[in-house]
Amino acid sequence: MRLKLLLPGEMSDNQRQTYEESIAGKRGKPPAPMMAWLSSPDMARHATRLGEVLRFDTVFPAKLSEIVILVTARHWTAHYEWYAHKRLALQGGMKPEIIEAIRDRRTPEFDDPKAKMIYDVAKSLHEGHGLDLGLYDEAVNVLGERGLVEVIGLCGYYTLVSMTLNTFEFGLPEGEVSELS
């Protein structure tokens, strides 16, 4: 870990207020990258609020949102993010073979057309830096405009999360080994 994480007693008033707001939110605890973001308390506050919306208040159930998050974590080889969201994906009902395919950089087999579209959009955003017109039209048809905007938001937010976790070298919990190489 390249950064000393602050304890609440070491935080400025602005940092502590942001920290306490995160605890009072739907997560019940601060997201790991927020502890780094506290060096910029206003950024931490807004990023954490955006993350809460994208985790809990999109048009997608967790099972579908986690596809985007895992694709993003795999793209960035974000070990901590993968560790945390693999568990959440399984809890949300994602099939283990879909997770394994994403981990191994293979295209998963999806039964749900929305899940496949979410995967295709996330992969295209990360690898192709956008969507060609055919994929865009298909995404709007399958996901709706709001759904497409939220997939883009999830990719962007979890890119910020992945960059933060990677830059500051957030480690896995004691005894855990990364599945990503």
Side-chain angles (χ1 to χ4, degrees):
M1 172 70 91
R2 292 178 168 170
L3 183 70
K4 180 192 180 300
L5 300 182
L6 299 174
L7 298 172
E10 300 170 316
M11 296 175 188
S12 70
D13 289 343
N14 199 6
Q15 289 169 326
R16 193 171 28 265
Q17 183 181 9
T18 298
Y19 176 83
E20 289 172 359
E21 184 179 302
S22 74
I23 292 171
K26 292 182 180 180
R27 286 183 181 99
K29 61 182 183 177
M34 190 205 74
M35 298 307 292
W37 299 336
L38 281 174
S39 294
S40 177
D42 290 333
M43 180 194 142
R45 180 175 293 113
H46 292 293
T48 302
R49 287 176 182 166
L50 176 61
E52 187 171 293
V53 167
L54 290 169
R55 267 288 303 289
F56 301 107
D57 297 325
T58 67
V59 295
F60 304 117
K63 178 176 158 178
L64 296 180
S65 293
E66 292 297 335
I67 293 169
V68 180
I69 299 167
L70 290 177
V71 166
T72 303
R74 177 67 257 188
H75 177 77
W76 288 98
T77 312
H79 303 282
Y80 186 92
E81 197 64 19
W82 181 268
Y83 163 79
H85 284 275
K86 175 187 174 184
R87 295 177 325 164
L88 293 170
L90 289 168
Q91 289 170 7
M94 190 183 296
K95 294 179 183 175
E97 51 271 15
I98 291 173
I99 296 168
E100 291 166 12
I102 294 169
R103 180 197 64 213
D104 297 342
R105 299 184 192 271
R106 292 181 286 108
T107 301
E109 297 287 328
F110 292 103
D111 299 331
D112 177 359
K114 276 189 178 180
K116 180 180 179 346
M117 182 55 58
I118 288 168
Y119 174 84
D120 289 346
V121 168
K123 286 291 282 185
S124 183
L125 289 170
H126 286 302
E127 294 177 4
H129 308 285
L131 306 181
D132 65 34
L133 182 57
L135 182 55
Y136 170 83
D137 288 341
E138 192 178 352
V140 170
N141 184 50
V142 173
L143 305 174
E145 287 182 351
R146 177 180 172 177
L148 177 56
V149 166
E150 290 176 348
V151 170
I152 294 165
L154 283 159
C155 283
Y157 175 75
Y158 282 97
T159 291
L160 170 64
V161 168
S162 295
M163 288 176 153
T164 300
L165 296 171
N166 285 354
T167 298
F168 294 108
E169 297 181 347
F170 276 70
L172 298 178
E174 184 76 29
E176 295 294 332
V177 177
S178 179
E179 295 182 7
L180 305 180
S181 57

